[in-house]
Amino acid sequence: MRQSRLFTKARREAPADEVAKNAQLLVRAGYIHKEMAGVYSYLPLGLRTLNNIVQVIREEMDAIGGQELILTALQDKELWSRTDRWDDEKVDNWFKTSFKSGGETGLAITHEEPLTRIMTAHISSYRDLPVYAYQFQNKFRNELRAKSGIMRGKEFLMKDLYSFSRDEAEHGAFYDRAREAYAKVFARVGIGNRTYVTFASGGIFSDFSEEFQTVSEAGEDTIYVHEQKRVAVNKEVLSDEALGKLGLSRGDLVEKKAIEAGNIFHLGTRFSEALGLLFTDEKGERKPVVMGSYGIGPTRLMGIIVEVLADNKGLVWPEAAAPFKYHLVSLGHGGDEISKIADALYDDMQKAGVEVLYDDRDLRAGEKFAESDLLGLPKRIIVGKEAAASGMFEVVDRASGAVEKVSHANLLSSLQPPASSL
Ligand code: ATP
Ligand code: MG
């Protein structure tokens, strides 16, 4: 993509109405637009980033047997009344509205109820189990706090997977695989080393649910980390009794601020019993399906990556999330020799199928570099005087600042996908 064609413009100043680092940088760099407090649109660079994060999660959910679907945003009041999650006294963050034809509806806060009901039409025997279904879908929550930018939206993207199993043992085996899949997701997007499995409240048929908490000063949660064991305990459950069950002692734990990137939850038979999701087992007995739920917020994850990886010059994307892998920056002016060399390299990179943003604009070098730092693409290729004189380009690593000098031919061969081993 030629940057001269990109409609979004980077700005020098941080927006005055944002306190969160993630929103300040993403708005400045033109990745997102703030509609209202806690409500953001994703512009081309932001959408490419978000789609990359979604794809990492999708691959890991598919790898553990997930089947992708998409459910509706509009929710059926009658269904949610059956599980006692419709009343504002029970769930306080619904956005509700009414139909012209009469009756109320709400915008989806989560999807246990509708998916469980759908499964009653597809699951009747032990032979139909287990089933793992997931989606990427916008959730709507009337969140009170809106200080965390895209990490706490009123409208936000969630990946939610639900598992349907015959019994506790089958459920437990999947739950363990989901935990591993989550660890892979967080490692692939560059935050694995600061993300901890964290014991929290809310488990049914087990003492704890598990959150994946990423340590960051911007976090709203307080956790207690056991560095050697790479686990943590959420403040909300920190007690002598809980520590005893987990085999941890208070003296080994260090208090940290953290952000919940995802969670995995035992639901037991709460929803299957309330909504009549039963199956016939091998002995002909009718039993409720054992369920679990597994959430990750891709938009929150994008915000977390910004919070923990960005530096004082701007965004820093890991390869897996970056909207483009390369930022090709030409220091040429008005079709001079440098511009021609940069054009040729851009064409060759395009042909090789490389994701490259090409800064072909006629601007001062300092301005281009500052903006390139702000956008945060992993590798910057600089085509300047040296390229014209000796045919060498500087390749700068955004995260480390390391500089390499590479020729056109070597650069292109390093971009070629590895030869097939067939
Ligand atoms: P929190 O305690 O931070 O409000 P939660 O317990 O409400 O999170 P869930 O309802 O389990 O979270 O949602 C699953 C995942 O969706 C979370 O782990 C998080 O990544 C994401 N998420 C939850 N609320 C928001 C939000 N308001 N904005 C963006 N992402 C969110
Ligand atoms: Mg919440």
Side-chain angles (χ1 to χ4, degrees):
M1 161 127 222
R2 282 177 180 268
Q3 215 167 331
S4 57
R5 306 300 314 147
L6 183 69
F7 78 81
T8 54
K9 304 286 178 288
R11 15 171 162 157
R12 213 157 301 188
E13 267 84 52
D17 58 344
E18 293 287 2
V19 286
K21 174 162 109 180
N22 69 83
Q24 286 185 345
L25 285 172
L26 291 167
V27 168
R28 273 187 62 201
Y31 281 63
I32 62 171
H33 172 82
K34 181 184 195 169
E35 286 295 323
M36 300 178 272
V39 183
Y40 295 91
S41 297
Y42 288 74
L43 305 180
L45 295 176
L47 180 61
R48 288 182 72 104
T49 309
L50 184 59
N51 282 343
N52 287 338
I53 294 168
V54 162
Q55 187 55 25
V56 167
I57 300 172
R58 177 178 286 127
E59 285 168 17
E60 298 302 339
M61 295 302 105
D62 288 346
I64 56 171
Q67 301 181 48
E68 188 170 353
L69 44 67
I70 188 156
L71 305 182
T72 66
L74 291 177
Q75 295 297 303
D76 177 4
K77 170 184 174 181
E78 187 277 323
L79 176 65
W80 291 80
S81 302
R82 284 202 259 155
T83 55
D84 201 19
R85 291 215 289 179
W86 177 259
D87 281 343
D88 292 338
E89 291 78 59
K90 294 285 159 53
V91 177
D92 66 359
N93 57 9
W94 277 105
F95 285 105
K96 292 177 179 170
T97 185
S98 51
F99 292 114
K100 279 189 178 164
S101 51
E104 276 182 294
T105 186
L107 295 175
I109 49 170
T110 176
H111 276 94
E112 283 83 2
E113 279 82 348
L115 188 58
T116 305
R117 178 161 69 181
I118 288 170
M119 288 303 172
T120 62
H122 302 279
I123 293 170
S124 58
S125 147
Y126 67 92
R127 290 185 207 91
D128 303 325
L129 293 167
V131 173
Y132 314 116
Y134 74 97
Q135 62 175 344
F136 294 93
Q137 207 262 6
N138 271 3
K139 304 287 190 258
F140 300 85
R141 292 183 183 179
N142 205 340
E143 302 270 8
L144 200 54
R145 287 182 290 182
K147 292 196 315 257
S148 295
I150 62 168
M151 297 196 300
R152 185 171 297 284
K154 297 191 178 87
E155 173 180 349
F156 62 94
L157 191 62
M158 192 196 284
K159 183 286 299 175
D160 39 335
L161 184 146
Y162 304 90
S163 65
F164 301 87
S165 304
R166 285 171 242 204
D167 52 33
E168 282 296 319
E170 190 173 79
H171 165 75
F174 180 77
Y175 185 88
D176 290 343
R177 288 172 66 206
R179 184 194 298 106
E180 284 167 29
Y182 269 41
K184 286 184 191 159
V185 167
F186 300 126
R188 285 179 65 183
V189 301
I191 59 167
N193 58 344
R194 22 188 141 206
T195 301
Y196 296 84
V197 168
T198 302
F199 298 97
S201 68
I204 298 177
F205 290 130
S206 114
D207 294 316
F208 305 101
S209 69
E210 289 169 44
E211 298 172 337
F212 286 77
Q213 291 273 2
T214 307
V215 168
S216 162
E217 274 309 307
E220 291 177 0
D221 291 358
T222 302
I223 64 168
Y224 294 84
V225 173
H226 193 295
E227 196 51 64
Q228 279 85 47
K229 295 190 176 167
R230 302 243 8 119
V231 297
V233 182
N234 195 308
K235 187 175 188 172
E236 62 177 24
V237 297
L238 188 79
S239 68
D240 290 339
E241 196 197 343
L243 291 178
K245 282 181 186 159
L246 294 166
L248 299 171
S249 58
R250 180 66 188 86
D252 297 333
L253 305 178
V254 181
E255 184 180 301
K256 307 251 179 180
K257 286 269 165 238
I259 313 162
E260 180 191 313
N263 62 32
I264 57 178
F265 233 86
H266 304 282
L267 296 175
T269 56
R270 161 157 191 218
F271 295 94
S272 51
E273 281 187 71
L275 301 175
L277 178 60
L278 305 177
F279 72 103
T280 308
D281 74 5
E282 287 93 329
K283 296 187 202 114
E285 237 176 275
R286 296 287 283 165
K287 286 185 173 159
V289 171
V290 176
M291 292 173 52
S293 72
Y294 314 80
I296 297 182
T299 45
R300 179 178 288 186
L301 192 47
M302 183 168 155
I304 294 175
I305 294 169
V306 174
E307 291 290 340
V308 302
L309 298 184
D311 61 20
N312 56 10
K313 292 186 284 186
L315 300 166
V316 179
W317 295 113
E319 279 222 1
F324 295 92
K325 305 269 179 291
Y326 291 90
H327 201 182
L328 175 59
V329 178
S330 165
L331 302 183
H333 295 283
D336 62 7
E337 201 194 337
I338 294 174
S339 310
K340 289 197 186 96
I341 293 170
D343 276 350
L345 182 57
Y346 177 61
D347 287 344
D348 284 346
M349 290 179 84
Q350 290 272 85
K351 280 186 207 123
V354 178
E355 291 176 18
V356 52
L357 179 66
Y358 175 26
D359 190 352
D360 57 341
R361 301 168 305 166
D362 211 331
L363 296 175
R364 283 189 305 108
E367 208 172 323
K368 287 189 158 190
F369 291 153
E371 190 169 323
S372 177
D373 281 335
L374 176 62
L375 298 190
L377 307 183
K379 301 268 184 202
R380 179 192 308 162
I381 305 172
I382 303 168
V383 183
K385 281 201 193 85
E386 203 184 340
S390 68
M392 299 297 276
F393 309 115
E394 263 185 19
V395 181
V396 185
D397 184 85
R398 175 64 182 86
S400 69
V403 182
E404 259 185 294
K405 302 225 179 199
V406 187
S407 69
H408 186 122
N410 282 346
L411 183 65
L412 279 179
S413 64
S414 76
L415 300 175
Q416 300 299 334
S420 159
S421 54
L422 281 177

